[in-house]
Amino acid sequence: DQQVKQNSPSLSVQEGRISILNCDYTNSMFDYFLWYKKYPAEGPTFLISISSIKDKNEDGRFTVFLNKSAKHLSLHIVPSQPGDSAVYFCAALDGSSNTGKLIFGQGTTLQVKP
Amino acid sequence: GAGVSQSPRYKVTKRGQDVALRCDPISGHVSLYWYRQALGQGPEFLTYFNYEAQQDKSGLPNDRFSAERPEGSISTLTIQRTEQRDSAMYRCASSLAKWRLAGVGELFFGEGSRLTVL
Protein backbone atom coordinates (compact mmCIF):
# COMPACT_ATOMS: atom_id res chain seq x y z
CA ASP A 1 0.00 0.00 0.00
CA GLN A 2 1.87 3.03 -1.31
CA GLN A 3 0.83 6.05 0.74
CA VAL A 4 3.08 8.44 -1.16
CA LYS A 5 3.20 8.08 -4.92
CA GLN A 6 5.37 9.63 -7.56
CA ASN A 7 3.81 8.36 -10.75
CA SER A 8 6.45 9.68 -13.14
CA PRO A 9 9.63 7.62 -12.89
CA SER A 10 11.53 10.11 -15.06
CA LEU A 11 11.39 13.61 -16.47
CA SER A 12 13.55 15.34 -19.05
CA VAL A 13 13.63 19.11 -19.53
CA GLN A 14 15.75 21.64 -21.34
CA GLU A 15 18.10 23.88 -19.40
CA GLY A 16 16.40 27.15 -18.49
CA ARG A 17 12.90 25.70 -18.64
CA ILE A 18 10.65 24.80 -15.73
CA SER A 19 10.75 21.34 -14.16
CA ILE A 20 7.59 20.17 -12.43
CA LEU A 21 7.72 17.06 -10.28
CA ASN A 22 4.51 15.66 -8.88
CA CYS A 23 3.57 13.69 -5.80
CA ASP A 24 0.26 12.28 -4.53
CA TYR A 25 -0.57 10.96 -1.10
CA THR A 26 -3.45 9.07 0.44
CA ASN A 27 -3.13 9.54 4.21
CA SER A 28 -5.01 12.58 5.50
CA MET A 29 -2.95 12.45 8.71
CA PHE A 30 0.14 13.63 6.86
CA ASP A 31 0.88 17.17 8.03
CA TYR A 32 4.33 17.93 6.66
CA PHE A 33 5.86 17.25 3.28
CA LEU A 34 9.45 17.29 2.14
CA TRP A 35 11.47 16.93 -1.02
CA TYR A 36 14.85 15.24 -1.02
CA LYS A 37 17.37 15.23 -3.81
CA LYS A 38 19.77 12.39 -4.46
CA TYR A 39 22.86 12.24 -6.64
CA PRO A 40 24.37 8.87 -7.65
CA ALA A 41 26.42 7.18 -4.92
CA GLU A 42 25.29 9.73 -2.34
CA GLY A 43 22.61 9.77 0.33
CA PRO A 44 19.46 11.87 -0.13
CA THR A 45 19.78 15.50 0.92
CA PHE A 46 16.97 17.74 2.13
CA LEU A 47 15.77 20.28 -0.43
CA ILE A 48 12.57 22.00 0.67
CA SER A 49 9.53 21.36 2.83
CA ILE A 50 5.99 22.58 3.40
CA SER A 51 3.60 22.41 6.30
CA SER A 52 0.01 21.40 5.69
CA ILE A 53 -1.15 24.80 6.92
CA LYS A 54 0.44 26.40 3.88
CA ASP A 55 -0.13 25.99 0.18
CA LYS A 56 3.19 27.32 -1.09
CA ASN A 57 6.79 27.54 0.03
CA GLU A 58 9.54 29.09 -2.00
CA ASP A 59 13.32 28.88 -1.69
CA GLY A 60 15.27 30.41 -4.53
CA ARG A 61 14.64 28.46 -7.71
CA PHE A 62 12.59 25.86 -5.85
CA THR A 63 8.90 26.17 -4.99
CA VAL A 64 6.67 23.53 -3.48
CA PHE A 65 2.91 23.73 -3.88
CA LEU A 66 0.44 21.81 -1.75
CA ASN A 67 -3.17 21.08 -2.67
CA LYS A 68 -4.67 19.43 0.39
CA SER A 69 -8.09 18.80 -1.10
CA ALA A 70 -6.51 16.89 -3.96
CA LYS A 71 -3.82 15.34 -1.71
CA HIS A 72 -1.27 16.49 -4.22
CA LEU A 73 1.99 18.39 -4.07
CA SER A 74 4.43 19.50 -6.68
CA LEU A 75 7.97 20.79 -6.85
CA HIS A 76 8.77 23.51 -9.38
CA ILE A 77 12.33 24.28 -10.40
CA VAL A 78 12.78 27.49 -12.35
CA PRO A 79 15.02 27.86 -14.23
CA SER A 80 16.27 24.30 -14.43
CA GLN A 81 20.03 23.77 -14.54
CA PRO A 82 22.08 20.71 -15.57
CA GLY A 83 23.26 20.40 -11.95
CA ASP A 84 19.65 19.75 -10.94
CA SER A 85 19.81 16.37 -12.67
CA ALA A 86 19.19 13.89 -9.86
CA VAL A 87 16.55 11.66 -8.32
CA TYR A 88 13.92 13.58 -6.38
CA PHE A 89 11.98 11.96 -3.55
CA CYS A 90 8.78 13.26 -2.08
CA ALA A 91 8.28 12.39 1.60
CA ALA A 92 5.50 12.87 4.13
CA LEU A 93 5.33 13.00 7.90
CA ASP A 94 2.44 11.50 9.80
CA GLY A 95 1.14 14.12 12.22
CA SER A 96 0.17 11.44 14.71
CA SER A 97 3.73 10.13 14.85
CA ASN A 98 6.04 11.26 17.64
CA THR A 99 9.12 9.73 16.09
CA GLY A 100 9.35 11.63 12.86
CA LYS A 101 9.45 8.70 10.51
CA LEU A 102 9.07 9.77 6.91
CA ILE A 103 7.10 7.95 4.22
CA PHE A 104 8.85 8.27 0.87
CA GLY A 105 7.63 8.06 -2.68
CA GLN A 106 9.41 5.98 -5.30
CA GLY A 107 11.37 8.88 -6.73
CA THR A 108 11.49 10.74 -10.04
CA THR A 109 14.69 10.95 -12.04
CA LEU A 110 15.13 14.43 -13.48
CA GLN A 111 17.43 15.02 -16.41
CA VAL A 112 18.15 18.61 -17.38
CA LYS A 113 19.68 18.83 -20.83
CA PRO A 114 22.12 21.65 -21.65
CA GLY B 1 33.26 13.29 11.18
CA ALA B 2 31.57 15.82 8.99
CA GLY B 3 28.71 13.60 7.91
CA VAL B 4 26.91 10.37 8.69
CA SER B 5 29.31 7.51 8.14
CA GLN B 6 28.21 3.98 7.33
CA SER B 7 30.22 0.80 7.04
CA PRO B 8 30.73 -1.37 5.20
CA ARG B 9 29.79 0.43 2.00
CA TYR B 10 29.33 -2.90 0.27
CA LYS B 11 28.65 -6.29 1.78
CA VAL B 12 28.23 -9.55 -0.12
CA THR B 13 27.21 -12.53 1.95
CA LYS B 14 25.80 -15.98 1.52
CA ARG B 15 22.26 -16.86 2.45
CA GLY B 16 22.01 -17.89 6.08
CA GLN B 17 24.88 -15.75 7.32
CA ASP B 18 24.49 -12.93 9.83
CA VAL B 19 25.49 -9.38 8.92
CA ALA B 20 26.05 -6.26 10.98
CA LEU B 21 25.83 -2.80 9.47
CA ARG B 22 27.27 0.15 11.32
CA CYS B 23 26.21 3.78 11.46
CA ASP B 24 28.23 6.60 12.96
CA PRO B 25 25.94 9.66 13.07
CA ILE B 26 26.99 13.28 13.05
CA SER B 27 28.50 14.12 16.43
CA GLY B 28 25.89 15.36 18.87
CA HIS B 29 22.91 14.19 16.85
CA VAL B 30 20.23 12.82 19.11
CA SER B 31 17.88 11.15 16.65
CA LEU B 32 18.95 8.23 14.49
CA TYR B 33 16.95 6.39 11.85
CA TRP B 34 17.50 3.29 9.75
CA TYR B 35 15.88 3.03 6.32
CA ARG B 36 16.01 0.37 3.63
CA GLN B 37 15.90 1.21 -0.04
CA ALA B 38 15.20 -1.29 -2.79
CA LEU B 39 16.30 -0.58 -6.33
CA GLY B 40 14.01 1.95 -7.98
CA GLN B 41 12.14 2.67 -4.76
CA GLY B 42 12.26 5.31 -2.08
CA PRO B 43 13.69 4.73 1.40
CA GLU B 44 11.47 2.65 3.66
CA PHE B 45 11.51 3.29 7.43
CA LEU B 46 12.89 0.54 9.64
CA THR B 47 13.54 1.94 13.11
CA TYR B 48 14.17 5.09 15.19
CA PHE B 49 16.35 5.89 18.18
CA ASN B 50 16.18 8.87 20.51
CA TYR B 51 19.59 8.75 22.17
CA GLU B 52 19.96 5.09 23.13
CA ALA B 53 16.24 4.40 23.36
CA GLN B 54 14.68 2.55 20.45
CA GLN B 55 11.36 4.36 20.31
CA ASP B 56 9.96 2.95 17.09
CA LYS B 57 10.78 -0.36 15.49
CA SER B 58 7.56 -0.75 13.59
CA GLY B 59 9.34 -0.93 10.24
CA LEU B 60 11.57 -3.91 11.02
CA PRO B 61 10.29 -6.65 8.68
CA ASN B 62 10.62 -9.60 11.05
CA ASP B 63 12.52 -10.81 14.08
CA ARG B 64 15.67 -11.52 12.07
CA PHE B 65 16.22 -7.76 12.06
CA SER B 66 17.41 -5.93 15.15
CA ALA B 67 19.13 -2.66 15.94
CA GLU B 68 20.89 -1.11 18.88
CA ARG B 69 22.47 2.16 19.89
CA PRO B 70 23.89 1.34 23.33
CA GLU B 71 25.64 4.63 24.10
CA GLY B 72 23.42 6.95 22.15
CA SER B 73 25.92 7.42 19.35
CA ILE B 74 27.00 4.60 17.02
CA SER B 75 24.25 2.24 15.93
CA THR B 76 24.34 -1.28 14.55
CA LEU B 77 21.67 -2.92 12.41
CA THR B 78 21.94 -6.70 12.54
CA ILE B 79 20.30 -9.12 10.14
CA GLN B 80 20.39 -12.75 11.19
CA ARG B 81 20.13 -15.71 8.83
CA THR B 82 20.10 -13.47 5.78
CA GLU B 83 17.83 -14.24 2.85
CA GLN B 84 18.06 -13.08 -0.76
CA ARG B 85 15.08 -10.75 -0.26
CA ASP B 86 17.17 -8.82 2.30
CA SER B 87 19.36 -7.51 -0.53
CA ALA B 88 19.00 -3.73 -0.59
CA MET B 89 20.67 -0.43 0.28
CA TYR B 90 20.49 0.21 4.01
CA ARG B 91 20.60 3.89 4.91
CA CYS B 92 21.17 5.56 8.23
CA ALA B 93 20.08 9.13 8.96
CA SER B 94 20.55 11.40 11.95
CA SER B 95 19.07 14.61 13.27
CA LEU B 96 20.39 17.20 15.71
CA ALA B 97 17.55 17.10 18.18
CA LYS B 98 14.42 15.20 18.91
CA TRP B 99 11.91 15.27 16.13
CA ARG B 100 9.92 18.51 15.74
CA LEU B 101 12.45 20.34 17.86
CA ALA B 102 15.19 20.00 15.30
CA GLY B 103 13.24 21.52 12.50
CA VAL B 104 11.44 19.25 10.14
CA GLY B 105 13.62 18.11 7.31
CA GLU B 106 16.95 18.43 9.05
CA LEU B 107 17.65 14.76 8.49
CA PHE B 108 21.12 13.90 7.28
CA PHE B 109 21.57 10.65 5.39
CA GLY B 110 24.68 8.55 5.07
CA GLU B 111 25.87 7.07 1.78
CA GLY B 112 24.39 3.72 2.70
CA SER B 113 25.51 0.12 2.96
CA ARG B 114 24.64 -2.00 -0.05
CA LEU B 115 23.89 -5.56 0.99
CA THR B 116 23.85 -8.41 -1.50
CA VAL B 117 22.76 -11.85 -0.33
CA LEU B 118 23.70 -14.66 -2.67
Side-chain angles (χ1 to χ4, degrees), chain B residues 2-28:
Chain B
V4 177
S5 178
Q6 292 187 244
S7 62
R9 291 289 309 279
Y10 302 92
K11 177 69 177 179
V12 180
T13 190
K14 292 184 178 179
R15 182 167 51 93
Q17 297 293 307
D18 298 349
V19 297
L21 307 177
R22 172 188 164 121
C23 172
D24 193 350
I26 294 173
S27 179

PDB file of all heavy atoms in Angstrom, chain B residues 2-28:
ATOM      1  N   ALA B   2      32.395  14.755   9.499  1.00  0.00           N
ATOM      2  CA  ALA B   2      31.567  15.816   8.994  1.00  0.00           C
ATOM      3  C   ALA B   2      30.158  15.343   8.690  1.00  0.00           C
ATOM      4  O   ALA B   2      29.208  16.118   8.788  1.00  0.00           O
ATOM      5  CB  ALA B   2      32.210  16.411   7.748  1.00  0.00           C
ATOM      6  N   GLY B   3      30.017  14.085   8.299  1.00  0.00           N
ATOM      7  CA  GLY B   3      28.710  13.597   7.908  1.00  0.00           C
ATOM      8  C   GLY B   3      28.409  12.280   8.581  1.00  0.00           C
ATOM      9  O   GLY B   3      29.162  11.787   9.424  1.00  0.00           O
ATOM     10  N   VAL B   4      27.273  11.684   8.187  1.00  0.00           N
ATOM     11  CA  VAL B   4      26.907  10.369   8.688  1.00  0.00           C
ATOM     12  C   VAL B   4      27.754   9.324   7.961  1.00  0.00           C
ATOM     13  O   VAL B   4      27.793   9.316   6.728  1.00  0.00           O
ATOM     14  CB  VAL B   4      25.408  10.091   8.460  1.00  0.00           C
ATOM     15  CG1 VAL B   4      25.051   8.691   8.920  1.00  0.00           C
ATOM     16  CG2 VAL B   4      24.563  11.148   9.169  1.00  0.00           C
ATOM     17  N   SER B   5      28.411   8.500   8.720  1.00  0.00           N
ATOM     18  CA  SER B   5      29.305   7.508   8.145  1.00  0.00           C
ATOM     19  C   SER B   5      28.737   6.112   8.328  1.00  0.00           C
ATOM     20  O   SER B   5      28.318   5.739   9.433  1.00  0.00           O
ATOM     21  CB  SER B   5      30.680   7.602   8.819  1.00  0.00           C
ATOM     22  OG  SER B   5      31.562   6.625   8.321  1.00  0.00           O
ATOM     23  N   GLN B   6      28.718   5.346   7.252  1.00  0.00           N
ATOM     24  CA  GLN B   6      28.208   3.978   7.329  1.00  0.00           C
ATOM     25  C   GLN B   6      29.270   3.001   6.842  1.00  0.00           C
ATOM     26  O   GLN B   6      30.014   3.281   5.906  1.00  0.00           O
ATOM     27  CB  GLN B   6      26.938   3.819   6.473  1.00  0.00           C
ATOM     28  CG  GLN B   6      25.752   4.594   7.014  1.00  0.00           C
ATOM     29  CD  GLN B   6      24.483   4.272   6.249  1.00  0.00           C
ATOM     30  OE1 GLN B   6      23.905   5.146   5.582  1.00  0.00           O
ATOM     31  NE2 GLN B   6      24.032   3.034   6.344  1.00  0.00           N
ATOM     32  N   SER B   7      29.284   1.838   7.481  1.00  0.00           N
ATOM     33  CA  SER B   7      30.216   0.797   7.041  1.00  0.00           C
ATOM     34  C   SER B   7      29.606  -0.576   7.272  1.00  0.00           C
ATOM     35  O   SER B   7      28.785  -0.753   8.191  1.00  0.00           O
ATOM     36  CB  SER B   7      31.549   0.921   7.793  1.00  0.00           C
ATOM     37  OG  SER B   7      31.350   0.743   9.187  1.00  0.00           O
ATOM     38  N   PRO B   8      29.948  -1.553   6.423  1.00  0.00           N
ATOM     39  CA  PRO B   8      30.725  -1.369   5.203  1.00  0.00           C
ATOM     40  C   PRO B   8      29.892  -0.692   4.118  1.00  0.00           C
ATOM     41  O   PRO B   8      28.666  -0.674   4.199  1.00  0.00           O
ATOM     42  CB  PRO B   8      31.066  -2.813   4.818  1.00  0.00           C
ATOM     43  CG  PRO B   8      29.903  -3.611   5.317  1.00  0.00           C
ATOM     44  CD  PRO B   8      29.488  -2.949   6.609  1.00  0.00           C
ATOM     45  N   ARG B   9      30.530  -0.155   3.110  1.00  0.00           N
ATOM     46  CA  ARG B   9      29.786   0.433   2.003  1.00  0.00           C
ATOM     47  C   ARG B   9      29.140  -0.659   1.164  1.00  0.00           C
ATOM     48  O   ARG B   9      28.052  -0.492   0.635  1.00  0.00           O
ATOM     49  CB  ARG B   9      30.706   1.274   1.130  1.00  0.00           C
ATOM     50  CG  ARG B   9      31.210   2.555   1.792  1.00  0.00           C
ATOM     51  CD  ARG B   9      30.085   3.590   1.931  1.00  0.00           C
ATOM     52  NE  ARG B   9      29.356   3.827   0.690  1.00  0.00           N
ATOM     53  CZ  ARG B   9      29.764   4.617  -0.276  1.00  0.00           C
ATOM     54  NH1 ARG B   9      30.914   5.267  -0.173  1.00  0.00           N
ATOM     55  NH2 ARG B   9      29.037   4.779  -1.376  1.00  0.00           N
ATOM     56  N   TYR B  10      29.844  -1.767   1.044  1.00  0.00           N
ATOM     57  CA  TYR B  10      29.326  -2.896   0.271  1.00  0.00           C
ATOM     58  C   TYR B  10      29.556  -4.175   1.073  1.00  0.00           C
ATOM     59  O   TYR B  10      30.613  -4.362   1.659  1.00  0.00           O
ATOM     60  CB  TYR B  10      30.044  -3.023  -1.083  1.00  0.00           C
ATOM     61  CG  TYR B  10      29.940  -1.789  -1.933  1.00  0.00           C
ATOM     62  CD1 TYR B  10      30.918  -0.800  -1.870  1.00  0.00           C
ATOM     63  CD2 TYR B  10      28.854  -1.608  -2.786  1.00  0.00           C
ATOM     64  CE1 TYR B  10      30.798   0.344  -2.643  1.00  0.00           C
ATOM     65  CE2 TYR B  10      28.737  -0.463  -3.555  1.00  0.00           C
ATOM     66  CZ  TYR B  10      29.713   0.509  -3.478  1.00  0.00           C
ATOM     67  OH  TYR B  10      29.603   1.637  -4.244  1.00  0.00           O
ATOM     68  N   LYS B  11      28.538  -5.024   1.084  1.00  0.00           N
ATOM     69  CA  LYS B  11      28.652  -6.294   1.782  1.00  0.00           C
ATOM     70  C   LYS B  11      27.989  -7.372   0.943  1.00  0.00           C
ATOM     71  O   LYS B  11      26.813  -7.270   0.606  1.00  0.00           O
ATOM     72  CB  LYS B  11      27.985  -6.204   3.153  1.00  0.00           C
ATOM     73  CG  LYS B  11      27.990  -7.511   3.934  1.00  0.00           C
ATOM     74  CD  LYS B  11      29.364  -7.895   4.388  1.00  0.00           C
ATOM     75  CE  LYS B  11      29.339  -9.153   5.233  1.00  0.00           C
ATOM     76  NZ  LYS B  11      30.718  -9.543   5.674  1.00  0.00           N
ATOM     77  N   VAL B  12      28.762  -8.394   0.593  1.00  0.00           N
ATOM     78  CA  VAL B  12      28.228  -9.549  -0.117  1.00  0.00           C
ATOM     79  C   VAL B  12      28.325 -10.735   0.826  1.00  0.00           C
ATOM     80  O   VAL B  12      29.386 -11.001   1.388  1.00  0.00           O
ATOM     81  CB  VAL B  12      29.018  -9.831  -1.410  1.00  0.00           C
ATOM     82  CG1 VAL B  12      28.431 -11.052  -2.121  1.00  0.00           C
ATOM     83  CG2 VAL B  12      28.990  -8.625  -2.329  1.00  0.00           C
ATOM     84  N   THR B  13      27.219 -11.417   1.017  1.00  0.00           N
ATOM     85  CA  THR B  13      27.213 -12.529   1.948  1.00  0.00           C
ATOM     86  C   THR B  13      26.396 -13.680   1.379  1.00  0.00           C
ATOM     87  O   THR B  13      25.613 -13.500   0.442  1.00  0.00           O
ATOM     88  CB  THR B  13      26.638 -12.092   3.307  1.00  0.00           C
ATOM     89  OG1 THR B  13      26.844 -13.123   4.274  1.00  0.00           O
ATOM     90  CG2 THR B  13      25.135 -11.817   3.202  1.00  0.00           C
ATOM     91  N   LYS B  14      26.572 -14.816   1.953  1.00  0.00           N
ATOM     92  CA  LYS B  14      25.802 -15.979   1.519  1.00  0.00           C
ATOM     93  C   LYS B  14      24.539 -16.116   2.363  1.00  0.00           C
ATOM     94  O   LYS B  14      24.526 -15.749   3.549  1.00  0.00           O
ATOM     95  CB  LYS B  14      26.639 -17.242   1.634  1.00  0.00           C
ATOM     96  CG  LYS B  14      27.801 -17.304   0.652  1.00  0.00           C
ATOM     97  CD  LYS B  14      28.534 -18.633   0.764  1.00  0.00           C
ATOM     98  CE  LYS B  14      29.669 -18.711  -0.247  1.00  0.00           C
ATOM     99  NZ  LYS B  14      30.419 -19.991  -0.131  1.00  0.00           N
ATOM    100  N   ARG B  15      23.531 -16.639   1.751  1.00  0.00           N
ATOM    101  CA  ARG B  15      22.260 -16.858   2.447  1.00  0.00           C
ATOM    102  C   ARG B  15      22.491 -17.656   3.719  1.00  0.00           C
ATOM    103  O   ARG B  15      23.223 -18.645   3.731  1.00  0.00           O
ATOM    104  CB  ARG B  15      21.325 -17.609   1.504  1.00  0.00           C
ATOM    105  CG  ARG B  15      19.932 -17.881   2.039  1.00  0.00           C
ATOM    106  CD  ARG B  15      19.018 -18.327   0.897  1.00  0.00           C
ATOM    107  NE  ARG B  15      19.602 -19.412   0.136  1.00  0.00           N
ATOM    108  CZ  ARG B  15      19.388 -20.699   0.378  1.00  0.00           C
ATOM    109  NH1 ARG B  15      18.635 -21.059   1.396  1.00  0.00           N
ATOM    110  NH2 ARG B  15      19.928 -21.627  -0.390  1.00  0.00           N
ATOM    111  N   GLY B  16      21.877 -17.196   4.796  1.00  0.00           N
ATOM    112  CA  GLY B  16      22.006 -17.886   6.076  1.00  0.00           C
ATOM    113  C   GLY B  16      23.019 -17.265   7.021  1.00  0.00           C
ATOM    114  O   GLY B  16      23.009 -17.560   8.215  1.00  0.00           O
ATOM    115  N   GLN B  17      23.884 -16.404   6.477  1.00  0.00           N
ATOM    116  CA  GLN B  17      24.885 -15.749   7.319  1.00  0.00           C
ATOM    117  C   GLN B  17      24.278 -14.535   8.013  1.00  0.00           C
ATOM    118  O   GLN B  17      23.297 -13.965   7.561  1.00  0.00           O
ATOM    119  CB  GLN B  17      26.077 -15.298   6.465  1.00  0.00           C
ATOM    120  CG  GLN B  17      26.827 -16.446   5.804  1.00  0.00           C
ATOM    121  CD  GLN B  17      27.531 -17.321   6.818  1.00  0.00           C
ATOM    122  OE1 GLN B  17      28.294 -16.838   7.639  1.00  0.00           O
ATOM    123  NE2 GLN B  17      27.256 -18.615   6.771  1.00  0.00           N
ATOM    124  N   ASP B  18      24.895 -14.152   9.133  1.00  0.00           N
ATOM    125  CA  ASP B  18      24.492 -12.935   9.826  1.00  0.00           C
ATOM    126  C   ASP B  18      25.348 -11.772   9.336  1.00  0.00           C
ATOM    127  O   ASP B  18      26.522 -11.946   9.024  1.00  0.00           O
ATOM    128  CB  ASP B  18      24.693 -13.092  11.340  1.00  0.00           C
ATOM    129  CG  ASP B  18      23.846 -14.202  11.936  1.00  0.00           C
ATOM    130  OD1 ASP B  18      22.949 -14.727  11.231  1.00  0.00           O
ATOM    131  OD2 ASP B  18      24.070 -14.542  13.112  1.00  0.00           O
ATOM    132  N   VAL B  19      24.740 -10.578   9.285  1.00  0.00           N
ATOM    133  CA  VAL B  19      25.491  -9.378   8.918  1.00  0.00           C
ATOM    134  C   VAL B  19      25.207  -8.268   9.920  1.00  0.00           C
ATOM    135  O   VAL B  19      24.119  -8.201  10.499  1.00  0.00           O
ATOM    136  CB  VAL B  19      25.169  -8.883   7.489  1.00  0.00           C
ATOM    137  CG1 VAL B  19      25.557  -9.912   6.455  1.00  0.00           C
ATOM    138  CG2 VAL B  19      23.722  -8.496   7.359  1.00  0.00           C
ATOM    139  N   ALA B  20      26.193  -7.424  10.101  1.00  0.00           N
ATOM    140  CA  ALA B  20      26.053  -6.264  10.980  1.00  0.00           C
ATOM    141  C   ALA B  20      26.458  -5.024  10.203  1.00  0.00           C
ATOM    142  O   ALA B  20      27.556  -4.965   9.648  1.00  0.00           O
ATOM    143  CB  ALA B  20      26.921  -6.417  12.218  1.00  0.00           C
ATOM    144  N   LEU B  21      25.587  -4.051  10.173  1.00  0.00           N
ATOM    145  CA  LEU B  21      25.831  -2.796   9.469  1.00  0.00           C
ATOM    146  C   LEU B  21      25.957  -1.694  10.521  1.00  0.00           C
ATOM    147  O   LEU B  21      25.146  -1.594  11.427  1.00  0.00           O
ATOM    148  CB  LEU B  21      24.682  -2.498   8.498  1.00  0.00           C
ATOM    149  CG  LEU B  21      24.348  -3.633   7.527  1.00  0.00           C
ATOM    150  CD1 LEU B  21      23.144  -3.249   6.670  1.00  0.00           C
ATOM    151  CD2 LEU B  21      25.539  -3.966   6.641  1.00  0.00           C
ATOM    152  N   ARG B  22      26.964  -0.855  10.307  1.00  0.00           N
ATOM    153  CA  ARG B  22      27.274   0.146  11.320  1.00  0.00           C
ATOM    154  C   ARG B  22      26.963   1.540  10.829  1.00  0.00           C
ATOM    155  O   ARG B  22      27.150   1.859   9.650  1.00  0.00           O
ATOM    156  CB  ARG B  22      28.753   0.034  11.682  1.00  0.00           C
ATOM    157  CG  ARG B  22      29.289   1.127  12.573  1.00  0.00           C
ATOM    158  CD  ARG B  22      30.795   1.011  12.697  1.00  0.00           C
ATOM    159  NE  ARG B  22      31.394   2.226  13.214  1.00  0.00           N
ATOM    160  CZ  ARG B  22      32.111   2.288  14.326  1.00  0.00           C
ATOM    161  NH1 ARG B  22      32.306   1.201  15.061  1.00  0.00           N
ATOM    162  NH2 ARG B  22      32.637   3.426  14.722  1.00  0.00           N
ATOM    163  N   CYS B  23      26.485   2.380  11.766  1.00  0.00           N
ATOM    164  CA  CYS B  23      26.211   3.776  11.458  1.00  0.00           C
ATOM    165  C   CYS B  23      26.840   4.658  12.520  1.00  0.00           C
ATOM    166  O   CYS B  23      26.601   4.475  13.722  1.00  0.00           O
ATOM    167  CB  CYS B  23      24.713   4.036  11.405  1.00  0.00           C
ATOM    168  SG  CYS B  23      24.276   5.782  11.243  1.00  0.00           S
ATOM    169  N   ASP B  24      27.628   5.623  12.065  1.00  0.00           N
ATOM    170  CA  ASP B  24      28.228   6.597  12.960  1.00  0.00           C
ATOM    171  C   ASP B  24      27.599   7.948  12.618  1.00  0.00           C
ATOM    172  O   ASP B  24      27.932   8.553  11.589  1.00  0.00           O
ATOM    173  CB  ASP B  24      29.739   6.629  12.759  1.00  0.00           C
ATOM    174  CG  ASP B  24      30.455   7.374  13.863  1.00  0.00           C
ATOM    175  OD1 ASP B  24      29.775   8.027  14.683  1.00  0.00           O
ATOM    176  OD2 ASP B  24      31.701   7.304  13.914  1.00  0.00           O
ATOM    177  N   PRO B  25      26.659   8.424  13.436  1.00  0.00           N
ATOM    178  CA  PRO B  25      25.944   9.655  13.073  1.00  0.00           C
ATOM    179  C   PRO B  25      26.825  10.888  13.257  1.00  0.00           C
ATOM    180  O   PRO B  25      27.929  10.809  13.799  1.00  0.00           O
ATOM    181  CB  PRO B  25      24.784   9.661  14.073  1.00  0.00           C
ATOM    182  CG  PRO B  25      25.327   8.956  15.272  1.00  0.00           C
ATOM    183  CD  PRO B  25      26.241   7.894  14.736  1.00  0.00           C
ATOM    184  N   ILE B  26      26.307  12.017  12.835  1.00  0.00           N
ATOM    185  CA  ILE B  26      26.991  13.281  13.051  1.00  0.00           C
ATOM    186  C   ILE B  26      27.083  13.509  14.560  1.00  0.00           C
ATOM    187  O   ILE B  26      26.126  13.282  15.300  1.00  0.00           O
ATOM    188  CB  ILE B  26      26.248  14.431  12.355  1.00  0.00           C
ATOM    189  CG1 ILE B  26      26.304  14.226  10.834  1.00  0.00           C
ATOM    190  CG2 ILE B  26      26.821  15.779  12.742  1.00  0.00           C
ATOM    191  CD1 ILE B  26      25.467  15.200  10.039  1.00  0.00           C
ATOM    192  N   SER B  27      28.254  13.940  15.005  1.00  0.00           N
ATOM    193  CA  SER B  27      28.498  14.118  16.429  1.00  0.00           C
ATOM    194  C   SER B  27      27.453  15.036  17.067  1.00  0.00           C
ATOM    195  O   SER B  27      27.176  16.123  16.568  1.00  0.00           O
ATOM    196  CB  SER B  27      29.898  14.734  16.629  1.00  0.00           C
ATOM    197  OG  SER B  27      30.145  14.940  18.002  1.00  0.00           O
ATOM    198  N   GLY B  28      26.874  14.556  18.155  1.00  0.00           N
ATOM    199  CA  GLY B  28      25.891  15.359  18.868  1.00  0.00           C
ATOM    200  C   GLY B  28      24.458  15.162  18.410  1.00  0.00           C
ATOM    201  O   GLY B  28      23.532  15.680  19.037  1.00  0.00           O
TER     202      GLY B  28
END
